């Protein structure tokens, strides 16, 4: 769809009073929830911009869905109502939260514009009570109305400036075939008479050849105010901060968005910035980035806005970066008494706890049991928009999922991605299948994880190998019959996603048979004792040795 006149976007303002606490408890991912990695095309092996998203929230259940394009003769159904008749909109691939508030949230449109988010909340006194947009609707509207990442950012800025923002602090990743950005926004409290937007926002482009990440903390610090090619922001971004006493221009300090509006504590850094640190340390180990800032140490330097990876990243590399429990570091969650006898990297909530007057926090990794699904989007000039727009989709924990290719051009979503409910176990649902395998593995984690990883690697390598031939075939089809190409990609996406679900159900059966009743069944049907690691037994003896010690009896002649 060609670039449209900015002035063609209009809407009748219908102020909406929302009980925000209800929305956040049942629909929006919780604070300290989602993680997003942004890869520019110059940092990619495949000349592609990529963004990741983990929809992390206990009890959240989503279903994939498609919001159809509108040619302008009628209003689009199911999306944001900012596009009246006469204004065409893009087709959007996304999801709907299966909760009390059913909100469509876009992921990618038919021009390969992709979007994702993490919530950082900020000062709740700055959240507006009246306005038009919460972040899912804002993101969806951007995908419906924009053909590039820059257009998406400009559109989001115009919409909130005119109709108000009613949500908390958000970091929104936006990319297209050429550029990748982060758009950060928060409210300005109840809107006074004459003030339209009720928010402040800033968007910063990620330098080509580099990557960045955000994980429930605002990341944009000092930004260039006279570089519209790489930075856009609301007119009130600094004046409002001065007015509210959040920033003193005479302090000698440069204005920093994240410092002024972030409202972050050392506790926040521990569970948020540590994920950014872990992505950066793995993408470029030679940087030797200190963990001090993530640990909340006084005076520690924040992490760079973006870094150059040690090597160009493939889809498999990005998937690997999203699978992390701080492995191999002093924070490795599969090691230590807190991991139990079998190295379980999962920690039950709450994250924070207190004992004998002291406060503690579990580590919060990228991979978590609370993930409903995660994605890796791909936008590239290597193909037409029809073939180039790709979403690698995985249910449940990133560590134990299998990413399957789903093309944004698809006319329908794979059946197992659009059925089920959080309230009833159902193995025909993709989420329940993957969730069951992960949960069954937790009690004997280190024994079962190799079995899961083996199937994961088998399937994902199969998909990666197929991609070139599949995409070449789709491009050839599109030259003569676009509809045939779309059907081909739809069928392929469905076939591979269902293939992976079926294989995961088979894996579940295999795990139940092999790891049963505290034994590990051998191929010949025997059940040898499993026991416990010596290190863990020593801890048991140290704490409760008297209870388990046997008397030292002399052997009778």
């Amino acid at each position: 769809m060609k670039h449209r006149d900015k002035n063609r976007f209009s809407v009748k303002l219908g102020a909406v009073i929302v009980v925000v606490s209800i929305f956040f408890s049942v629909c929006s991912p919780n604070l300290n929830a989602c993680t997003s990695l942004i890869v520019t095309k110059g940092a990619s092996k495949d000349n592609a911009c990529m963004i990741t998203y983990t929809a992390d929230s206990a009890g959240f259940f989503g279903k994939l869905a498609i919001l159809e394009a509108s040619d302008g003769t009628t209003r689009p159904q199911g999306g944001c109502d900012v596009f009246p008749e006469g204004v065409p909109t893009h087709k959007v691939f996304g999801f709907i939260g299966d909760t009390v508030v059913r909100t469509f949230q876009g992921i990618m449109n038919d021009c390969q514009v992709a979007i994702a988010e993490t919530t950082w909340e900020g000062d709740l006194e700055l959240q507006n009570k009246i306005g038009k947009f919460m972040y899912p609707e804002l993101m969806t509207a951007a995908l419906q109305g924009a053909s590039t990442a820059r257009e998406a950012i400009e559109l989001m800025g115009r919409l909130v400036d005119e109709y108000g923002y009613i949500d908390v602090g958000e970091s929104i990743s936006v990319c297209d075939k050429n550029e990748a950005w982060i758009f950060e926004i928060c409210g300005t409290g109840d809107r006074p008479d004459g003030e339209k937007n009720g928010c402040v926002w800033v968007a910063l482009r990620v330098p080509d050849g580099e990557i960045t990440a955000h994980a429930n903390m605002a990341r944009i610090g000092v930004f260039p105010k006279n570089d519209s090619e790489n930075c856009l922001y609301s007119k009130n971004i600094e004046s409002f901060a001065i007015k509210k006493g959040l920033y003193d221009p005479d302090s000698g300090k440069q204005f920093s968005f994240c410092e002024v509006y972030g409202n972050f504590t050392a506790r926040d850094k521990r569970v948020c910035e540590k994920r950014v640190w872990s992505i950066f340390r793995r993408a470029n180990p030679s940087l030797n980035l200190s963990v001090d800032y993530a640990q909340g140490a006084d005076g520690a330097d924040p992490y760079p806005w973006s870094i150059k990876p040690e090597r160009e990243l493939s889809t498999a590399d990005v998937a690997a970066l999203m699978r992390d429990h701080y492995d191999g570091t002093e924070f490795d969650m599969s090691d230590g008494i807190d991991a139990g006898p079998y190295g379980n990297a999962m920690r039950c909530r709450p994250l924070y706890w207190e004992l004998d007057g002291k406060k503690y926090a579990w580590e919060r990794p990228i991979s978590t049991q609370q993930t409903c699904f995660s994605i890796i989007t791909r936008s590239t000039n290597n193909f037409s928009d029809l073939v180039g727009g790709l979403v690698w989709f995985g249910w449940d924990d990133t560590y134990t999922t299998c990413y399957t290719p789903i093309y944004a051009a698809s006319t329908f979503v794979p059946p197992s991605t659009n059925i089920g409910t959080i309230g009833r176990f159902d193995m025909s649902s993709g989420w329940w299948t993957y969730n069951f395998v992960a949960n069954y593995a937790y009690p004997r984690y280190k024994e079962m994880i190799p079995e899961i990883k083996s199937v994961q690697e088998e399937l994902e390598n199969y998909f990666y190998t197929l991609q070139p031939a599949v995409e070449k075939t789709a491009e050839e089809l599109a030259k003569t019959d676009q509809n045939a190409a779309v059907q081909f990609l739809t069928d392929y996406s469905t076939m591979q996603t269902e293939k992976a679900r079926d294989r995961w159900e088979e894996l579940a059966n295999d795990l139940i048979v092999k790891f049963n009743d505290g034994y590990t069944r051998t191929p010949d049907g025997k059940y040898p004792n499993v026991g416990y690691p010596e290190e863990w037994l020593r801890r048991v003896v140290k704490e409760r040795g008297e209870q388990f010690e046997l008397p030292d009896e002399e052997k009778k002649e």
Side-chain angles (χ1 to χ4, degrees), residues 254-429:
Q254 289 184 287
F255 181 85
S256 165
F257 181 85
C258 62
E259 288 185 14
V260 170
Y261 294 109
N263 196 33
F264 301 127
T265 65
R267 188 179 83 163
D268 296 324
K269 295 174 185 176
R270 183 78 170 267
V271 297
C272 299
E273 282 297 279
K274 190 175 283 187
R275 284 175 272 160
V276 174
W277 167 77
S278 201
I279 286 174
F280 283 3
R281 74 173 176 92
R282 297 174 67 202
N284 193 338
S286 64
L287 292 175
N288 292 316
L289 291 175
S290 170
V291 75
D292 287 352
Y293 183 75
Q295 288 290 89
D298 290 338
D301 292 330
Y303 300 118
W305 157 247
S306 59
I307 66 164
K308 187 177 180 63
E310 199 166 57
R311 56 186 172 81
E312 293 177 340
L313 303 177
S314 65
T315 301
D317 294 328
V318 172
L321 288 172
M322 295 303 292
R323 289 168 170 149
D324 184 53
H325 297 120
Y326 306 116
D327 313 79
T329 73
E330 60 186 297
F331 312 107
D332 193 330
M333 296 176 66
S334 64
D335 191 26
I337 192 171
D338 46 314
Y342 297 112
N344 187 353
M346 186 270 284
R347 300 291 180 272
C348 294
R349 271 25 179 193
L351 278 175
Y352 310 110
W353 41 289
E354 190 170 335
L355 192 63
D356 298 332
K358 291 186 178 182
K359 296 179 179 180
Y360 302 88
W362 296 119
E363 301 295 350
R364 196 304 191 190
I366 295 167
S367 295
T368 174
Q369 74 277 10
Q370 296 185 118
T371 301
C372 174
F373 67 84
S374 59
I375 59 169
I376 303 168
T377 70
R378 183 202 69 182
S379 305
T380 178
N381 283 309
N382 291 352
F383 305 104
S384 64
D385 288 341
L386 188 150
V387 179
L390 175 63
V391 177
W392 291 93
F393 182 83
W395 284 117
D396 203 58
D397 192 335
T398 60
Y399 205 78
T400 53
T401 195
C402 174
Y403 286 109
T404 63
I406 303 178
Y407 285 88
S410 297
T411 56
F412 58 83
V413 299
S416 65
T417 67
N418 192 243
I419 58 174
T421 173
I422 193 66
R424 182 178 180 275
F425 179 74
D426 180 2
M427 284 292 272
S428 64
S429 159

